[in-house]
Amino acid sequence: MAHQNHQYSPGTARATIGLGIFLVSLLILIALFAAEVLAGFGELDQKMQTAITGLPGISSVLGLAMNLFHCHALTAIKVVFYVGAIIGLAVAARAGRETRGVASWLNLPVCRAILALVLVFLLGVVFSAEGAFGIVGTHRDALRQASVFGLLACGMTLVIIGGGIDLGVGSVLALVSVTFSLMSIHWGWQPWVSVPACLLLGAMCGGLAGTITAGFRIQPFVATLAMMVFARGLAKTVSGGTKISTAVKNPDGTFRYVDVPAVFRFIDSRILDGNLSVVTVIFIVCAVLTWILLARHRWGTHLYAIGGNEEAARLSGVPVTSTKILSYVASGLLAGVAGLCQAAQEQQGDPETGAGYELTAIAIVVIGGTTLTGGRGGIGLTLLGTLTIGYLEKILSINAVPEASRLMLTGVIIVAAVLAQRRKR
Amino acid sequence: MSPRSQVTHAHDTDNEPLVRMVGISKKFGANQVLRNVDLEIRAGEVLVLAGENGAGKSTLIKILGGVHTEFDGEIWIQGRLVRPKSPSDAAALGVAVIYQELSLVPTMTVADNVFLGRSIVKRGFVDHDEQRRRAQQLLDQLGIEIPVESRVEDLPIAQQQLTEIAKALARNARVIVMDEPTSALNAPEVEKLFNLVKDLKQRGCGIVYITHKMEEIQRIADRITVLRDGEHVGTAPASDLPPARLIQWLVGREIEEQFPRHAATPGHERLRLRGFTVLPMHGQLRPPVENVDLVVRAGEIVGIGGLQGSGASELFMGLFGAYGQNVRGEALLDGKLLRIQSPSTAISQGVALLTNDRKATGLVLSMSVIANATLAGLPRISPMGWRRPALERSITASLCDRVSLRAASLDMEVEWLSGGNQQKVALAKWLQTEPRLLLLDEPTRGIDVGAKREVYQLMDALTQQGLAILLITSELPELLAMSDRIIVLHRGMVTAEFDRSSATPERVLAAAMGRQMANRG
């Protein structure tokens, strides 16, 4: 105990070895994947099979695994390296907790969020669904599907950093989606009227919830729970309880079909030769704007201060009530943007849509590493969280994992991610 | 000669000490917080554990209390080699630690708290009657008058502290560690606590007492162990360590002049209060501050003396707008009527308030030094609300210079700074708003001797530049030495005013205790 040797730290050595294993596995996986994309999955799999048969020891082990899990030789090999990568990372992260050297950056929230994303992404590389993960369309769709959740998560991040929570976003999304459909399809309003009107509606919902919680000091959980129920009811009232689709009911009870409004088609379209969805662009733009407000505007700083210590913030002259209300307004506004996207993608306004989305948004924020207690986090983390959840969903779906298992797996991943994010003293 | 070699080896010929900690070392990451520290606790004595903030006192205590379980060294409790694995493990070994942050459940009753974790159970259900009876018995034995039925959150902090002690004793603790137990107590309550300590000594308990207050050390200590920078400086009987020598052990250097206050040259009238009253809130029966008149001049430090409940802090909060418009009376700042609405209006008019609890109300611990130092003055340096990070950084750097802050990085979270440095960040925040009137509520609470001195120097320098300071402090020597004038409050009203020559500890204390004292006088 008295002999402390400061020259040599076993932690640093272990961290270096762990990181080395991780990086080597990572490179091999990427190389295998690149070869697979270039040569085609079937081709490479054949070669691997032949190669394995040449090595009697390995072939029996891998062969057993292949038969057990009905997987290809190539996939089995990739699984081996994936497990290697995880073990390497775990070793490095564990060592990183004890040392200040090489691996201490592994404990930064950003790094952990990136690593979670990398691990999920590698999952796609390993289980590429016979090469489907190598196609641009897969990624485009993963990003498109994640975008609506990402929009909600950006607003949620603001509210959570300020020490609150917004359970109303899923319902507000439905309300805006219904209203937008009604305006665009039934009433034939031009987008330069309907879009601002819908965004205003979303912002007002947020403002109402914010005023109730911050102005009247009701717990945000309760106030936004009320908004969640209220906005859902309002969406059903506005829509008359039915889906607002292009099948418009005539006064005599028959249906006539109208064209999908141009604004719907635009939002649902793709740019860059069909390689990027407009919805994704909208998400990225909103995320950047939110980031600018949070990181470069006084309001964002005030939000962090309130989430970190509300009383200290108030006694430092921070306008607590208005700052908090504005965070809910922003959340409602972003839920409104998400509602527009949802309506355009579904080509209808469904008053039942978006149920449970608020929980996915919270999961994204938490997986990114923003703490639920407020005061710590950021949009960058939420962006990473969005990609993690989005890719996880996509990878499970291209591998035809049934929804039941998908939900259970997502639950497990959320816990694992939050465990990995836990702050250590 | 270095005091490090002055270890007094007490030859204990009687029985084995209650606790012997030998060669304790502890690292947090690469940071060595304890290096080969020895500690011995004997039955029937008060051992004062002294050291500046960051000296390792809390860590050492947390090792004994089973909070930190990874360490080098040995712990012997009553002759047995042990290694407390958890706080309950330590409790089973007879060690009770009363931390600064109380570990009571505020929504439960005193009786429930005393028996928390080992409830008295009858047929699978908690036997509340029995718990109440036994808790009452225990409190009676200790001479503590607390209704066992009341919920802890409804009790004043002093009674909560006593409840915590009762809880420790209910577990038959032989070793009781108290970490700055008097930081929230007023004089009569401190008396009560000291009597209790005396009583515990007679029962053969060993008491470890951590404090920053010199007067307490002199009153209560049998032996003193001093830590500095994680090392054991020495242990000596209290009689061998007069204050001057003790300070030398604590800081490793002689402090020639404890209070660097130059003679003030008061300027024009900065603040005048006429009939200032804070209206009762939250079911209070009387106004916490009533009809206060006072004047502070530019360049002057006016001290506000008073015991717990004097209303001094409420006066500051009211003046600063923290209670909104719940105040009456007139406040003039530089001859102009002070608008009292909210902290932000106060700040914009040149008033700053350093609150008495930097962790709860002063700082946002999760934010960086820069963000904290610029928080109050952010509107001044963010045109149209857009922040200018480079400007913030340079402003913070120069502020840190002024308050002699030592931080590894301006981007580090304030949470990781020592108490003294945290306080300097809070001070920097207020300097950045360029106030005309600075309200300081306990500016040196819980910070080490070196940092205290730097805060005093800063106060002196600021008044030289014409700032007016109102100072609340519960440490009498500090109040007497730093204040040019002293106003004493008792139950929200001014009971006396002294200038430097007429203020003596006895007179200030008498005025602070109000009429009761005068009657007995």
Side-chain angles (χ1 to χ4, degrees):
Chain A
M1 146 232 100
H3 319 285
Q4 255 121 20
N5 193 336
H6 293 282
Q7 303 303 310
Y8 170 76
S9 157
T12 312
R14 272 189 289 131
T16 317
I17 293 169
L19 274 181
I21 295 174
F22 171 69
L23 288 175
V24 168
S25 308
L26 183 75
L27 287 176
I28 292 176
L29 278 174
I30 290 173
L32 279 173
F33 187 61
E36 177 188 320
V37 170
L38 291 176
F41 182 82
E43 194 92 349
L44 194 65
D45 185 39
Q46 277 301 322
K47 280 184 187 156
M48 284 297 158
Q49 201 127 27
T50 338
I52 286 172
T53 332
L55 305 164
I58 296 173
S59 79
S60 56
V61 178
L62 278 181
L64 186 70
M66 282 155 57
N67 284 330
L68 258 178
F69 300 108
H70 305 290
C71 67
H72 294 273
L74 180 54
T75 311
I77 292 169
K78 285 192 288 191
V79 167
V80 170
F81 285 108
Y82 188 68
V83 171
I86 290 182
I87 291 173
L89 203 56
V91 168
R94 199 160 175 80
R97 260 174 218 161
E98 296 153 21
T99 46
R100 291 199 164 202
V102 202
S104 63
W105 52 264
L106 275 175
N107 289 322
L108 291 176
V110 180
C111 268
R112 300 204 149 215
I114 290 174
L115 286 175
L117 176 59
V118 167
L119 286 182
V120 165
F121 196 85
L122 285 184
L123 206 59
V125 168
V126 172
F127 300 102
S128 62
E130 304 195 3
F133 197 69
I135 300 166
V136 176
T138 308
H139 297 270
R140 180 195 64 214
D141 286 349
L143 293 178
R144 179 178 61 76
Q145 286 158 6
S147 294
V148 166
F149 293 114
L151 282 164
L152 298 181
C154 282
M156 191 68 76
T157 308
L158 296 175
V159 174
I160 286 178
I161 284 175
I165 192 122
D166 191 353
L167 298 179
V169 290
S171 298
V172 171
L173 175 146
L175 173 62
V176 169
S177 158
V178 165
T179 314
F180 187 47
S181 301
L182 203 63
M183 287 173 173
S184 306
I185 301 173
H186 284 205
W187 304 342
W189 287 16
Q190 290 302 305
W192 50 270
V193 185
S194 61
V195 169
C198 286
L199 295 184
L200 186 66
L201 178 65
M204 276 167 55
C205 288
L208 183 60
T211 309
I212 293 171
T213 178
F216 298 99
R217 295 180 190 223
I218 291 177
Q219 282 166 342
F221 191 95
V222 178
T224 59
L225 184 70
M227 176 49 69
M228 167 175 151
V229 179
F230 179 81
R232 181 70 62 190
L234 192 57
K236 289 184 181 181
T237 310
V238 168
S239 66
T242 58
K243 293 177 183 171
I244 308 290
S245 66
T246 49
V248 181
K249 204 173 186 182
N250 289 322
D252 59 5
T254 58
F255 286 92
R256 73 192 147 86
Y257 290 86
V258 297
D259 279 344
V260 175
V263 60
F264 276 38
R265 274 185 273 120
F266 169 70
I267 293 175
D268 198 26
S269 65
R270 301 163 186 162
I271 55 169
L272 298 180
D273 290 337
N275 287 330
L276 187 64
S277 301
V278 169
V279 176
T280 306
V281 177
I282 293 176
F283 165 51
I284 301 296
V285 169
C286 287
V288 169
L289 289 177
T290 319
W291 179 81
I292 290 173
L293 278 177
L294 197 53
R296 285 287 172 268
H297 196 273
R298 190 161 69 213
W299 175 70
T301 312
H302 283 170
L303 213 48
Y304 278 104
I306 291 169
N309 186 343
E310 185 169 334
E311 187 60 10
R314 192 175 73 90
L315 291 175
S316 299
V318 171
V320 172
T321 309
S322 63
T323 304
K324 273 192 185 170
I325 291 177
L326 271 179
S327 73
Y328 288 93
V329 169
S331 177
L333 187 68
L334 286 163
V337 177
L340 301 181
C341 297
Q342 185 82 347
Q345 289 183 29
E346 294 186 343
Q347 300 203 340
Q348 64 179 14
D350 181 356
E352 304 286 352
T353 196
Y357 280 27
E358 60 280 338
L359 300 181
T360 308
I362 293 171
I364 287 173
V365 173
V366 170
I367 283 181
T370 297
T371 51
L372 270 183
T373 42
R376 286 195 176 92
I379 293 295
L381 294 175
T382 296
L383 208 55
L384 292 169
T386 308
L387 293 176
T388 306
I389 284 277
Y391 267 106
L392 183 67
E393 288 281 319
K394 193 70 199 170
I395 289 159
L396 294 177
S397 84
I398 59 174
N399 284 288
V401 177
E403 203 205 348
S405 323
R406 222 148 75 194
L407 290 174
M408 290 193 285
L409 260 172
T410 311
V412 171
I413 301 273
I414 289 174
V415 172
V418 174
L419 275 180
Q421 285 280 2
R422 187 143 47 165
R423 273 161 56 87
K424 292 274 172 203
R425 288 199 75 129
Chain B
M1 169 172 207
S2 158
R4 265 168 221 212
S5 56
Q6 297 169 346
V7 181
T8 316
H9 285 288
H11 271 283
D12 202 0
T13 45
D14 346 334
N15 44 1
E16 176 80 13
L18 289 174
V19 173
R20 223 150 44 85
M21 298 174 82
V22 186
I24 305 288
S25 296
K26 168 81 185 163
K27 272 170 116 179
F28 287 117
N31 193 7
Q32 185 96 36
V33 289
L34 287 177
R35 196 170 291 131
N36 217 351
V37 171
D38 298 335
L39 185 79
E40 212 177 271
I41 307 164
R42 301 181 193 154
E45 71 157 8
V46 175
L47 174 74
V48 165
L49 184 57
E52 299 192 33
N53 285 348
K57 294 171 306 209
S58 299
T59 310
L60 186 63
I61 287 319
K62 283 181 176 166
I63 286 173
L64 181 62
V67 176
H68 297 315
T69 51
E70 282 176 32
F71 60 92
D72 293 321
E74 295 174 350
I75 301 179
W76 297 79
I77 294 186
Q78 295 180 25
R80 275 201 308 140
L81 182 62
V82 296
R83 227 179 149 83
K85 284 182 279 299
S86 66
S88 58
D89 198 20
L93 291 165
V95 176
V97 183
I98 300 163
Y99 296 103
Q100 270 167 293
E101 316 83 38
L102 299 180
S103 59
L104 301 170
V105 182
T107 52
M108 290 168 67
T109 65
V110 171
D112 285 342
N113 267 291
V114 166
F115 291 102
L116 188 66
R118 0 160 262 124
S119 309
I120 301 169
V121 177
K122 203 162 79 184
R123 284 188 228 102
F125 291 94
V126 175
D127 187 348
H128 285 286
D129 292 331
E130 180 65 12
Q131 281 197 4
R132 233 169 282 150
R133 206 181 56 73
R134 287 224 227 150
Q136 189 66 60
Q137 207 178 351
L138 187 72
L139 293 177
D140 289 346
Q141 274 178 14
L142 296 172
I144 303 173
E145 288 165 27
I146 301 175
V148 290
E149 276 300 289
S150 49
R151 294 204 295 180
V152 165
E153 61 187 348
D154 298 332
L155 297 176
I157 190 93
Q159 296 198 340
Q160 294 187 14
Q161 207 116 33
L162 295 174
T163 307
E164 184 83 46
I165 293 169
K167 183 175 153 190
L169 292 178
R171 297 176 184 222
N172 295 320
R174 293 271 340 255
V175 176
I176 298 167
V177 184
M178 301 182 184
D179 192 355
E180 294 200 48
T182 57
S183 58
L185 303 189
N186 63 27
E189 288 162 346
V190 170
E191 266 336 289
K192 199 173 260 180
L193 180 78
F194 282 2
N195 285 335
L196 189 60
V197 166
K198 211 177 288 170
D199 194 41
L200 292 171
K201 261 167 73 173
Q202 274 161 12
R203 292 165 179 230
C205 291
I207 291 155
V208 180
Y209 194 98
I210 299 178
T211 182
H212 279 293
K213 296 181 185 164
M214 191 61 74
E215 348 166 11
E216 288 185 4
I217 296 179
Q218 284 174 287
R219 274 199 58 184
I220 205 173
D222 295 317
R223 284 190 311 136
I224 303 174
T225 291
V226 177
L227 299 184
R228 188 202 314 148
D229 300 332
E231 292 189 49
H232 185 196
V233 177
T235 300
S239 51
D240 291 357
L241 271 186
R245 184 127 173 268
L246 176 57
I247 288 179
Q248 196 186 342
W249 276 30
L250 286 169
V251 298
R253 59 184 184 273
E254 300 241 19
I255 288 200
E256 61 291 348
E257 185 195 16
Q258 226 186 335
F259 297 104
R261 178 72 184 138
H262 293 94
T265 45
H268 63 280
E269 193 175 294
R270 178 53 52 82
L271 176 77
R272 173 177 283 277
L273 296 183
R274 270 195 220 109
F276 192 79
T277 300
V278 174
L279 300 180
M281 287 162 298
H282 314 303
Q284 283 167 335
L285 297 174
R286 352 168 259 106
V289 178
E290 209 173 341
N291 258 327
V292 168
D293 300 331
L294 64 81
V295 172
V296 190
R297 293 172 200 290
E300 197 179 31
I301 299 179
V302 174
I304 300 192
L307 303 171
Q308 204 82 40
S310 69
S313 295
E314 286 81 1
L315 171 69
F316 278 15
M317 294 285 267
L319 195 57
F320 190 61
Y323 299 141
Q325 292 170 328
N326 254 335
V327 293
R328 294 290 175 271
E330 199 179 52
L332 296 172
L333 190 70
D334 284 331
K336 269 178 61 185
L337 201 62
L338 182 73
R339 277 183 304 119
I340 298 177
Q341 268 171 10
S342 67
S344 58
T345 49
I347 293 166
S348 66
Q349 292 171 93
V351 182
L353 165 63
L354 185 83
T355 60
N356 56 17
D357 187 340
R358 58 182 166 268
K359 285 185 177 163
T361 55
L363 296 167
V364 183
L365 295 177
S366 57
M367 290 171 74
S368 68
V369 174
I370 294 182
N372 271 286
T374 56
L375 186 59
L378 203 52
R380 304 155 58 99
I381 53 170
S382 53
M384 307 286 291
W386 296 107
R387 289 178 39 211
R388 298 172 58 191
L391 180 67
E392 286 174 14
R393 183 173 295 276
S394 67
I395 286 177
T396 307
S398 72
L399 283 170
C400 289
D401 238 27
R402 278 177 77 187
V403 299
S404 39
L405 174 85
R406 282 171 288 271
S409 149
L410 295 183
D411 297 303
M412 75 189 283
E413 288 180 12
V414 169
E415 188 171 356
W416 310 117
L417 293 175
S418 70
N421 280 321
Q422 285 183 347
Q423 191 72 328
K424 289 173 186 171
V425 174
L427 277 164
K429 171 174 78 178
W430 292 116
L431 294 188
Q432 200 254 313
T433 66
E434 292 174 17
R436 290 182 280 171
L437 171 67
L438 187 54
L439 310 174
L440 298 177
D441 194 350
E442 302 283 2
T444 63
R445 173 178 280 178
I447 69 178
D448 58 63
V449 179
K452 270 186 185 175
R453 200 181 139 74
E454 283 166 341
V455 170
Y456 298 143
Q457 276 167 339
L458 182 67
M459 285 164 65
D460 193 53
L462 288 171
T463 48
Q464 304 270 329
Q465 293 157 22
L467 198 78
I469 293 180
L470 264 173
L471 168 72
I472 298 177
T473 170
S474 55
E475 284 188 50
L476 215 44
E478 179 176 310
L479 182 74
L480 293 169
M482 292 307 294
S483 311
D484 301 318
R485 280 186 299 124
I486 295 172
I487 288 166
V488 183
L489 292 184
H490 174 73
R491 290 166 68 92
M493 285 182 277
V494 176
T495 49
E497 183 167 346
F498 302 98
D499 59 20
R500 197 173 267 281
S501 56
S502 64
T504 65
E506 295 78 18
R507 289 166 119 180
V508 171
L509 200 62
M513 294 173 117
R515 235 165 278 131
Q516 297 128 308
M517 190 66 186
N519 287 348
R520 277 184 215 157

